[in-house]
Amino acid sequence: DTEVTQTPKHLVMGMTNKKSLKCEQHMGHRAMYWYKQKAKKPPELMFVYSYEKLSINESVPSRFSPECPNSSLLNLHLHALQPEDSALYLCASSHQLAGGYEQFFGPGTRLTVL
Amino acid sequence: GENVEQHPSTLSVQEGDSAVIKCTYSDSASNYFPWYKQELGKRPQLIIDIRSNVGEKKDQRIAVTLNKTAKHFSLHITETQPEDSAVYFCAASMGGSQGNLIFGKGTKLSVKP
């Protein structure tokens, strides 16, 4: 299995809702990433997990809460989001965090905040 | 921190022509330079990458060159086809705990039949 999967594909939520995005990979990768991508922009790094521990947090607002339950799963918990948080949320994984390893991206979750 | 500049932002070519996209990076410690292709509504996909101990790499119609002294790298696509139309992102990465990718702003390539 050489794919990263993400659920759901689309999500519409109100500003008071709580929802979660899920990401899964079975390639044995030990680094997993959350990116946010706005239209016509590059992916913007949010969080990095290395060996199930949070390694990088790019000053993301606390309304986004990552979780790595095991080496194959990565979640992003959402609470009290703002309309400007509407974007494509991409998960990625790589063999390790150390540079030089390909990052495999999932298909993304298209999030709309009303 | 690392900064990656990418040019041009848009590029239009006729089918069969070559396309060149250029990127510069700021941190000489960067040692890994991937290129991603992202079609509309799809995920970014790696098309080619190069490491700092190599000056050039080819894969069929795609090639990447790296000039460490000048801190720039380029993507070359020959014999372009309409299916090459997409947004291309360059990126740079350092090793160790700074292994995350720093992306350029992207180039929208349009190949006209």
Side-chain angles (χ1 to χ4, degrees), chain A residues 45-49 54-58 97, chain B residues 97-100:
Chain A
L45 185 66
M46 300 175 71
F47 303 104
V48 182
Y49 274 83
L54 185 63
S55 179
I56 297 174
N57 177 340
E58 292 287 353
L97 177 57
Chain B
S97 62
Q98 300 300 315
N100 53 294

Side-chain angles (χ1 to χ4, degrees), chain B residues 14-111:
Chain B
Q14 287 295 131
E15 183 177 0
D17 288 351
S18 295
V20 180
I21 303 171
K22 298 183 179 182
C23 289
T24 60
Y25 60 99
S26 60
D27 197 322
S28 56
S30 290
N31 56 16
Y32 175 63
F33 307 92
W35 286 88
Y36 283 86
K37 174 184 180 182
Q38 188 174 26
E39 297 176 59
L40 191 62
K42 300 280 185 71
R43 73 187 81 190
Q45 291 200 297
L46 182 77
I47 55 170
I48 196 167
D49 57 12
I50 192 167
R51 289 166 175 76
S52 58
N53 59 346
V54 175
E56 183 176 4
K57 184 176 179 181
K58 285 184 180 179
D59 184 2
Q60 300 183 335
R61 297 185 297 109
I62 295 173
V64 58
T65 58
L66 171 65
N67 183 326
K68 286 188 295 182
T69 303
K71 289 190 280 189
H72 66 70
F73 56 112
S74 300
L75 177 71
H76 304 254
I77 305 174
T78 58
E79 300 172 27
T80 53
Q81 301 167 3
E83 50 265 39
D84 293 330
S85 297
V87 178
Y88 292 80
F89 294 102
C90 64
S93 170
M94 293 178 273
S97 62
Q98 300 300 315
N100 53 294
L101 296 175
I102 307 299
F103 284 91
K105 292 189 175 181
T107 296
K108 184 177 180 181
L109 174 65
S110 299
V111 180

